[in-house]
Structures are given as structure tokens and as C-alpha cells.
Amino acid sequence: DIECVLDEKLNQLRGQERITYYNQSPSTLTYLWMQLDENEHSAESDKHKMDSRQINGVMSEDALRMLEPWRELNQYGDKIISILDENQTPLPYTINQTMMRVNLPHPLKPGEQFSFNVSWYYNLIDRMNSTSWGRGGYEHFEKDGNSLYTIVQWYPRLCAYTDDAGWQNKQFVGRGEFALTFGDYDVNITLPSDHVVAGTGECLNYKEILTSAQYNRWMQSQSVKSPLEIVTLAEARANELTPISTKTKTWRYTAKNVRDFAWTASKKFVWDAMPHYNELGQKVMCMSLYGKEAYPIYNKYSTKVVDH
């Protein structure tokens, strides 16, 4: 269960989560390993020590910046505020770059479960211009003064405990990814009220957070044959021109039995949708969200490709 807040002025994400871990292995566990993927951007990460550097005859400004020490990266990475059990008692933990070991107050036997709480925050990277590239972060559009957020690999999450290797606690350096354990997610995302959000699973409160016209379009999109715009190009263009809202909205999502949860948000988004039916007649909604810069191609092809 995750509660998070996006602060667009600071480009910071704050969160707190309640994790319930079920020991479905035959082993008795005395600690849990968690992934802090966001720490790949911190100055201590092995990621920054893997490439040799050289001075070439002609170099761009970005290439020269890559030669500098990683001083600016001290502001990035997960900042753990607290790790508490259900009685609000602090749990001992150790952070080693992108891995965090949480010691359990008592052994967790096969078939047992354990719940605990983690509070954290981190500063989002400018993923288009940072010296520490990553999938998650923001892309800023100077012309209209807005950003597009891709929030992935973002919350402290459980490592997989497998038959062949035990805990997967190898460092994450951004060039490969690891299998994750399955879980159920309930996520509340609070951010400026003028942002449009998409996330893993199903949103539970479209009726409360969309305009009446947008919600009616969402309902109509359940039975269309081609993509229908929930947030139109005209609405997205108008939304871009307004100052960042000081009011907030909370988007509520649920996802069952999935490996991960990711989301995206922006004032810039056009959003379209259409249903897909599989061989058994089961329906799933296909959606695309994109800025006006991508409109001519994405509007024509994106959701149809998802459906395909």
C-alpha cells in the first residue's frame, strides 16, 4: 500500500508504504532484502565507475560535463526517513548502494507473513539532460514550461527470493533488470490537480477526478472500434498554458498479482483509449498518453498498436 506525493516545484517524490511480505519459501528468514533502484543515480553507485573516460579532439558540452566528478549526484538517490514495524518500532537496516537489508525482529518461518512501513523521498532526475541517465524522472519542455514525468523503479521494493540463488541482491546499475516477486498494489498518487495520470492496473476514481465531459468520453471509450480521446488535443493545449495548479488531486489505483507498479503524469497529456477483446471475450482497455509534440503519429498509431 503506497501513498506518494509529487512536488513539481521541487521535482521531488515523497512516499510512505506499508509492505506485507509472505514467506512462501521453505526457508526461515531472519532478514529481507529490498531494492533501492533510485540509488543508481547517487554518487556512490557502481554505475558511475564502469566506463572509461577520454578527451577527444572535438567534444560537445554534454561530453565535457561527463568528464566532471559526480558532485552533483549527491542530491539524488533514496533518502530513507524511517523503517518501522506495525508497532512503530524502528527496524535495523543496512544500505549498500542499490540494495537494502532489513533485519526482522523475529525469524519469519515458512507460511508466515510480516508487515512493516517505509517512509522515503528522492529528487527526480532530468532524464534527458542528466549525467546519470535513467528510465525514471522528468522531461522538461522549456517552450511551455511543463514537464512530463515517468515514474518507474521508484519505490523501495522487495527483492526476489528464488530456489536457485536465494535473495537476488546484486547491484542495479541501470543496464539490466532483475525478476521481481509478484504482489498486490493499492497506490494513491497525489499531485497538482491539472495533471493527467496513467498507472499500472485500474484507476478507481475517474468519476471524481475527471471533468464530466472527460468521464463521459471514458465511458464511451469502453465500446468504441477505434481510439477515442478522453483528454483531447485542444484540452491538452489549453492545459499547458495555465500556471501549475496549487490545488491537488489524488488518483487511486489497484493492481493484483503483478510484478511491479509504474506511473506517468503531465499537464501536457492527450489521452486516448479503446477496448481489446481476447479469444475468450475478456476485455482490457488499451490506452496511450502523449504530448502534442507526438500527436500526429501517436494519435494515428499508438493505441491501435497496443490493441494489436
Side-chain angles (χ1 to χ4, degrees):
D1 299 321
I2 305 175
E3 305 266 351
C4 65
V5 177
L6 174 65
D7 187 327
E8 185 161 21
K9 291 184 178 179
L10 296 178
N11 280 318
Q12 186 180 91
L13 190 64
R14 300 185 292 273
Q16 54 187 16
E17 55 191 278
R18 180 179 184 273
I19 303 169
T20 300
Y21 184 75
Y22 299 84
N23 184 7
Q24 300 185 75
S25 79
S27 307
T28 296
L29 305 176
T30 57
Y31 51 81
L32 306 176
W33 277 102
M34 300 186 71
Q35 295 182 206
L36 302 181
D37 303 78
E38 194 59 32
N39 278 358
E40 69 159 307
H41 305 302
S42 70
E44 292 78 24
S45 173
D46 283 344
K47 171 182 177 176
H48 309 306
K49 305 166 187 174
M50 296 172 61
D51 292 329
S52 60
R53 302 178 187 179
Q54 63 183 17
I55 297 177
N56 298 318
V58 178
M59 299 183 70
S60 67
E61 181 182 349
D62 285 342
L64 288 170
R65 187 177 294 115
M66 292 292 287
L67 297 175
E68 296 175 355
W70 302 103
R71 288 187 296 267
E72 67 179 81
L73 299 180
N74 289 327
Q75 62 182 301
Y76 297 116
D78 280 307
K79 314 300 181 186
I80 301 298
I81 299 170
S82 65
I83 302 181
L84 308 172
D85 68 13
E86 288 194 295
N87 297 319
Q88 302 302 301
T89 301
L91 295 173
Y93 64 92
T94 301
I95 296 175
N96 180 358
Q97 297 186 48
T98 61
M99 289 291 136
M100 178 169 69
R101 195 181 84 172
V102 179
N103 293 344
L104 298 173
H106 52 76
L108 189 65
K109 297 179 181 179
E112 293 183 338
Q113 66 189 66
F114 179 74
S115 296
F116 62 107
N117 303 280
V118 183
S119 296
W120 48 268
Y121 74 91
Y122 68 87
N123 295 318
L124 294 155
I125 66 163
D126 179 346
R127 67 184 190 88
M128 308 304 291
N129 297 302
S130 173
T131 53
S132 180
W133 181 89
R135 296 171 182 83
Y138 66 92
E139 177 181 0
H140 189 67
F141 292 77
E142 289 288 349
K143 188 173 181 180
D144 54 57
N146 297 311
S147 295
L148 190 160
Y149 294 89
T150 53
I151 310 300
V152 301
Q153 300 165 327
W154 58 286
Y155 58 95
R157 56 189 182 176
L158 265 296
C159 295
Y161 186 81
T162 65
D163 296 342
D164 62 316
W167 286 109
Q168 187 307 106
N169 58 356
K170 296 179 181 178
Q171 297 295 340
F172 176 61
V173 293
R175 300 196 178 183
E177 299 185 41
F178 304 110
L180 299 170
T181 191
F182 284 92
D184 297 338
Y185 290 80
D186 287 294
V187 181
N188 289 340
I189 303 165
T190 300
L191 72 177
S193 60
D194 49 13
H195 282 48
V196 177
V197 176
T200 302
E202 294 183 274
C203 183
L204 303 179
N205 63 336
Y206 280 153
K207 191 169 186 178
E208 290 76 31
I209 55 182
L210 300 179
T211 67
S212 58
Q214 290 166 350
Y215 182 72
N216 287 337
R217 293 177 205 138
W218 165 250
M219 297 304 294
Q220 293 170 20
S221 72
Q222 307 296 305
S223 57
V224 296
K225 299 296 185 182
S226 60
L228 176 69
E229 290 182 11
I230 313 304
V231 177
T232 67
L233 177 61
E235 289 172 333
R237 286 181 182 276
N239 203 31
E240 282 185 323
L241 299 177
T242 60
I244 297 173
S245 177
T246 57
K247 298 180 180 179
T248 61
K249 285 183 179 178
T250 299
W251 299 61
R252 299 175 53 224
Y253 281 87
T254 185
K256 304 300 179 185
N257 200 33
V258 297
R259 289 190 180 273
D260 200 4
F261 187 99
W263 56 279
T264 184
S266 182
K267 289 181 61 177
K268 298 176 61 65
F269 279 146
V270 178
W271 167 21
D272 65 35
M274 66 177 290
H276 169 83
Y277 295 90
N278 68 9
E279 296 87 343
L280 301 177
Q282 298 167 316
K283 182 178 77 172
V284 64
M285 291 302 292
C286 305
M287 309 184 204
S288 299
L289 294 92
Y290 43 88
K292 65 179 185 298
E293 295 81 2
Y295 187 86
I297 295 178
Y298 276 60
N299 177 260
K300 188 175 182 179
Y301 295 115
S302 182
T303 298
K304 290 182 179 178
V305 171
V306 177
D307 173 52
H308 179 73

